[in-house]
């Protein structure tokens, strides 16, 4: 063996030594579990008796004879398709009003980000449940304004609305990423367009949005994936039941119930795979269409 | 011009008002924790309690399943500390490998790592549960801490990004001086990586402290419960309607989270702005 080969072998071994924890973890906690999950999705398995191969049985049941599954898909898509855009619009709005040189901006940023930092906790879900309870503050406010109080836990649409408001309230991390992006847009751009007599609205649509589009894409993808996986608020707010009338039965919660309350491990695995495929398709669509709406400075600038 | 004079005061009033509106629910919970249980909803629209009831913190502390919150806090802390140490050490080693070492297949492994970053957790939820059950790890903290020792993709990505900003000349100089790769990692890169390590530790703290699904799946005897499960149990035993106690403990569970936030604001905001992958 030549000296050179020997050296590169050594370099490779050192490299693999450093990343070996990742490789082991990836195999043990991701890749092998994914294969197990794929196998289980074609079986009926309750954890106690060996898995029984049923072919496409789970998928057939899912698509033809489980209205609760379809409901969970509908609820989840509503949650994602309404919640994520609202959250991002709000995040961008706040980022824009905070993109000034005022000395108070640091304090404001902290105040607006705080809900997101505590957002994942059980405490906040409990709080949200109580704010929207029949005699909670939201209803007191509604009656004070002369509107009829809403039975947030009696109407499936109302309870989904409540979940969506909770997700919008936690807009902070997207806001910070937008803020970082806004700071990168050079002031000269805006000044030049002012000289040309552009209105603020015009500036927003022809400078801010295009230059921010890579960050919008990033936020959109990450937020969409995490929204599809939302579990804790639905679990806590509905006390694990997904009620009323399955109005808060998000996909993750339904999967959790199928797997761990009814011991339908095979069915839950099949659900997870269908969801993975749906998310992958959605992400692919976002990526593929992005070339029509995402603007990269380096491509056009020179 | 009149508008110029009024612009900033109006700006500050509007922005501060919106911020307070955002934080109102938190304040409401805080003050409700001092209200008498029966009056929390009757007086839902008024923020401040008429009478300050500190007793809620005493009754809440007792918990609902025979163990008090001291136990739950200790359990949560144990998990958080072990998992965080594991995540920070392993992720920094892996990140050094990806960012500084050349080896065959590096790009493929890095791409795989970025893919796991985007992989929805539900796909591995069931098989992981089965694996941990077969290993006999249920009702121990092992399923909640062991995976952290194999690197967290989010932290690895964060650290790789950071290490790439460290000039390569440092490595070369150290190598010429006869420094091996591990010494290079340990002596040169790791000390420079401090801020990234801190960011990772803070996020790890948040995720583990707030985690509910993991403890719900893997812990089933009350003496092992974490703060998250204990709070959830309060809600389940609503018949007792110890609202005051539940709010008091909810507030208590947020104290460490908020304290860490204020202590490391800058770090957190920077970590978020430069990578920002948290929900």
């Amino acid at each position: 063996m030549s000296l050179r080969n020997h050296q590169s072998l050594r370099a490779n071994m050192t490299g693999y030594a450093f990343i070996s924890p990742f490789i082991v973890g990836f195999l043990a906690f991701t890749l092998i579990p994914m294969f197990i999950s794929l196998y289980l999705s074609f079986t009926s398995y309750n954890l106690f008796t060996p898995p029984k191969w049923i072919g496409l049985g789970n998928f057939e049941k899912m698509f033809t004879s489980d209205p609760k599954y379809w409901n969970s898909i509908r609820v989840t898509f509503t949650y994602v398709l309404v919640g994520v855009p609202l959250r991002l619009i709000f995040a961008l709005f706040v980022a824009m009003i905070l993109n000034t040189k005022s000395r108070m901006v640091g304090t404001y940023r902290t105040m607006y980000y705080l809900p997101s930092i505590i957002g994942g906790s059980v405490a906040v879900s409990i709080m949200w449940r109580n704010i929207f309870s029949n005699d909670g503050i939201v209803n007191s406010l509604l009656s004070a304004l002369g509107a009829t109080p809403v039975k947030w836990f009696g109407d499936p649409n109302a309870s989904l609305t409540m979940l969506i408001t909770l997700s919008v309230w936690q807009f902070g991390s997207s806001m910070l990423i937008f803020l970082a992006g806004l700071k990168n847009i050079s002031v000269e751009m805006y000044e030049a367009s002012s000289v040309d007599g552009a209105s603020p609205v015009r500036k927003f649509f022809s400078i801010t949005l295009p230059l921010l589009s890579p960050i919008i894409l990033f936020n959109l993808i990450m937020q969409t994936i995490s929204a599809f996986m939302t579990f804790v608020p639905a679990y806590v707010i509905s006390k694990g039941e997904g009620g009323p009338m399955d109005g808060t039965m998000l996909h993750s919660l339904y999967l959790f119930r199928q797997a761990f309350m009814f011991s339908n491990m095979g069915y839950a695995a099949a659900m997870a795979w269908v969801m993975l495929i749906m998310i992958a398709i959605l992400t692919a669509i976002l990526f593929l269409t992005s070339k029509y709406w995402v603007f990269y400075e380096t491509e056009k600038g020179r | 011009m009149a508008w110029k004079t009024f612009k900033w005061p109006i700006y500050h009033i509007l922005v501060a008002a919106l911020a307070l509106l955002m934080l109102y629910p938190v304040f409401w919970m805080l003050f409700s924790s001092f209200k008498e249980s029966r009056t929390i909803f009757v007086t839902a629209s008024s923020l401040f309690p008429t009478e300050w009831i500190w007793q809620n913190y005493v009754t809440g502390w007792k918990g609902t399943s025979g163990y008090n919150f001291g136990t739950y806090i200790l359990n949560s802390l144990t998990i958080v500390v072990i998992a965080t140490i594991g995540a920070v050490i392993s992720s920094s080693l892996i990140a050094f490998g990806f960012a500084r070492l050349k080896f065959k297949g590096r790009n493929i492994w890095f791409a795989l790592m970025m893919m796991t970053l985007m992989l929805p957790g539900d796909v591995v939820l069931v098989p992981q549960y089965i694996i941990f059950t077969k290993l006999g790890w249920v009702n121990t903290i092992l399923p909640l801490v062991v995976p952290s020792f194999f690197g967290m993709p989010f932290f690895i990505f964060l650290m790789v990004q950071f290490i790439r900003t460290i000039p390569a000349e440092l490595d070369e100089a150290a190598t010429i001086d006869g420094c091996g790769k591990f010494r290079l990692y340990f002596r040169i890169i790791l000390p420079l990586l401090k801020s990234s390590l801190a960011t990772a530790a803070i996020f790890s703290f948040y995720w583990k402290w707030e985690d509910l699904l993991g403890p719900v799946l893997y812990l089933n005897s009350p003496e092992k419960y974490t703060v998250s499960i204990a709070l959830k149990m309060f809600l389940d035993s609503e018949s007792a309607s110890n609202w005051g106690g539940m709010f008091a403990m909810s507030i208590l569970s947020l104290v460490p989270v908020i304290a860490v936030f204020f202590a490391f604001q800058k770090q957190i905001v920077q970590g978020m702005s430069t990578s920002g992958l948290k929900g």
Side-chain angles (χ1 to χ4, degrees):
Chain A
M1 194 186 274
S2 74
L3 186 66
R4 221 188 125 150
N5 273 339
H6 181 75
Q7 269 177 344
S8 80
L9 182 73
R10 219 187 121 108
N12 281 343
M13 276 173 61
T14 321
Y16 277 94
F18 271 94
I19 68 159
S20 60
F22 170 71
I23 296 177
V24 173
F26 174 75
L27 295 177
F29 302 116
T30 306
L31 197 66
I32 294 171
M34 279 180 79
F35 280 117
I36 296 178
S37 160
L38 188 62
Y39 165 70
L40 286 178
S41 68
F42 298 105
T43 67
S44 165
Y45 182 45
N46 63 7
L47 204 63
F48 307 106
T49 51
K52 203 176 91 209
W53 185 266
I54 54 165
L56 293 173
N58 287 324
F59 299 95
E60 212 176 299
K61 181 184 164 201
M62 218 182 286
F63 291 120
T64 58
S65 58
D66 186 0
K68 265 181 174 269
Y69 173 74
W70 280 113
N71 173 69
S72 82
I73 291 284
R74 188 186 55 81
V75 170
T76 308
F77 271 86
T78 315
Y79 177 81
V80 174
L81 297 180
V82 177
V84 172
L86 278 179
R87 196 184 204 188
L88 291 186
I89 290 170
F90 199 54
L92 181 57
F93 170 72
V94 174
M96 287 184 57
I97 61 173
L98 291 188
N99 188 28
T100 63
K101 291 221 162 69
S102 160
R103 220 181 306 153
M104 286 293 286
V105 159
T107 314
Y108 293 144
R109 207 168 53 180
T110 306
M111 289 167 89
Y112 285 106
Y113 187 46
L114 193 66
S116 309
I117 215 78
I118 58 176
S121 61
V122 175
V124 163
S125 297
I126 288 178
M127 171 190 80
W128 213 254
R129 189 188 152 84
N130 287 292
I131 286 174
F132 282 87
S133 68
N134 288 341
D135 36 14
I137 25 171
V138 173
N139 274 345
S140 320
L141 199 71
L142 284 177
S143 20
L145 292 171
T148 19
V150 178
K151 279 202 167 54
W152 297 100
F153 296 95
D155 173 359
N157 291 326
S159 24
L160 184 59
T161 308
M162 172 176 65
L163 270 189
I164 292 174
T165 48
L166 176 57
S167 87
V168 175
W169 185 60
Q170 295 157 8
F171 62 89
S173 55
S174 317
M175 184 263 294
L176 289 179
I177 298 167
F178 278 140
L179 199 54
L182 288 173
K183 289 221 162 82
N184 280 335
I185 301 178
S186 68
V187 190
E188 285 93 37
M189 286 261 202
Y190 291 107
E191 280 165 359
S193 69
S194 292
V195 174
D196 294 344
S199 68
V201 179
R202 181 75 207 267
K203 280 184 207 167
F204 175 75
F205 283 104
S206 40
I207 300 177
T208 315
L209 270 192
L211 289 182
L212 221 49
S213 55
I215 295 171
I216 295 174
L217 177 69
F218 174 79
N219 267 341
L220 199 56
I221 289 173
M222 296 319 291
Q223 296 292 324
T224 302
I225 295 174
S226 76
F228 269 115
M229 294 300 113
T230 306
F231 173 78
V232 171
Y235 180 72
V236 173
I237 286 174
S238 72
K239 295 187 183 177
E241 306 282 334
M245 286 173 276
D246 297 328
T248 57
M249 189 66 92
L250 293 181
H251 189 271
S252 291
L253 181 55
Y254 189 54
L255 188 149
F256 171 85
R257 289 176 65 81
Q258 283 293 347
F260 305 107
M261 318 223 19
F262 313 130
S263 287
N264 293 330
M265 296 287 174
Y267 193 61
M271 279 180 65
W273 272 94
V274 173
M275 181 49 91
L276 175 70
I277 291 165
M278 283 196 278
I279 293 177
I281 292 174
L282 208 63
T283 314
I285 291 175
L286 283 175
F287 268 121
L288 291 175
T289 59
S290 71
K291 67 173 176 220
Y292 299 109
W293 61 272
V294 171
F295 171 86
Y296 292 102
E297 245 178 309
T298 44
E299 284 170 16
K300 290 204 168 176
R302 46 195 81 166
Chain B
M1 219 168 91
W3 168 241
K4 273 233 155 104
T5 334
F6 287 114
K7 197 178 145 192
W8 284 108
I10 290 175
Y11 171 82
H12 283 292
I13 289 167
L14 290 179
V15 173
L18 187 60
L20 287 178
L21 187 69
M22 290 284 114
L23 292 177
Y24 188 88
V26 183
F27 288 125
W28 183 78
M29 178 161 68
L30 176 64
F31 290 117
S32 292
S33 75
F34 294 107
K35 288 178 179 176
E36 201 194 337
S37 291
R38 282 179 296 123
T39 66
I40 287 177
F41 289 107
V42 187
T43 62
S45 48
S46 65
L47 192 56
F48 299 103
T50 40
E51 208 186 333
W52 292 74
I53 312 282
W54 292 86
Q55 193 63 26
N56 288 334
Y57 282 81
V58 179
T59 56
W61 182 264
K62 285 186 191 130
T64 50
S65 53
Y67 294 89
N68 68 29
F69 262 76
T71 311
Y72 304 137
I73 291 173
L74 202 67
N75 292 340
S76 285
L77 277 180
T78 311
I79 292 168
V80 167
V81 170
I82 299 175
T84 300
I85 291 173
V88 169
I89 294 177
S90 59
S91 301
S92 66
L93 267 170
I94 298 163
F96 175 82
F98 277 133
R100 277 301 204 249
L101 302 176
K102 287 202 182 78
F103 53 92
K104 261 200 197 115
R106 179 180 71 170
N107 294 340
I108 297 165
W109 285 109
F110 192 73
L112 281 173
M113 202 242 356
M114 292 307 287
M115 270 158 73
T116 49
L117 195 63
M118 289 176 67
L119 185 78
D122 278 3
V123 189
V124 289
L125 185 69
V126 166
Q128 276 188 1
Y129 179 80
I130 295 168
I131 292 171
F132 291 137
T133 307
K134 301 274 180 208
L135 287 174
W137 285 8
V138 168
N139 209 21
T140 70
I141 63 168
L142 292 173
L144 307 176
V145 298
V146 170
S148 308
F149 283 81
F150 296 91
M152 309 290 285
F154 172 71
F155 302 149
I156 300 172
F157 172 64
L158 201 79
M159 292 177 195
V160 166
Q161 295 290 82
F162 188 86
I163 296 174
R164 283 182 179 156
T165 67
I166 301 172
E169 287 80 20
L170 266 181
D171 294 25
E172 285 158 19
T175 313
I176 290 166
D177 290 348
C179 191
K181 295 295 178 198
F182 186 78
R183 287 236 334 248
L184 183 65
Y185 155 77
F186 197 73
R187 287 285 172 85
I188 314 260
I189 302 292
L190 208 55
L192 292 170
L193 206 55
K194 244 184 253 158
S195 70
S196 281
L197 299 177
T199 307
I202 293 161
F203 280 111
S204 166
F205 163 80
Y206 282 139
W207 296 340
K208 284 294 169 186
W209 184 265
E210 292 178 345
D211 183 25
L212 177 68
L213 187 55
V216 160
L217 286 183
Y218 296 113
L219 304 175
N220 43 38
S221 48
E223 85 266 13
K224 290 179 178 161
Y225 281 177
T226 61
V227 173
S228 293
I229 311 189
L231 288 178
K232 168 72 172 58
M233 300 228 314
F234 255 118
L235 197 63
D236 294 340
S237 65
E238 206 179 323
S239 52
S241 69
N242 182 7
W243 292 112
M246 186 172 80
F247 281 122
M249 289 307 108
S250 295
I251 288 292
L252 195 70
S253 80
L254 293 180
V255 169
V257 176
I258 292 176
V260 167
F261 178 57
F262 280 107
F264 298 101
Q265 265 188 67
K266 237 182 161 171
Q267 203 90 48
I268 295 169
V269 169
Q270 264 167 14
M272 202 75 256
S273 311
T274 47
S275 56
L277 298 169
K278 199 209 161 193

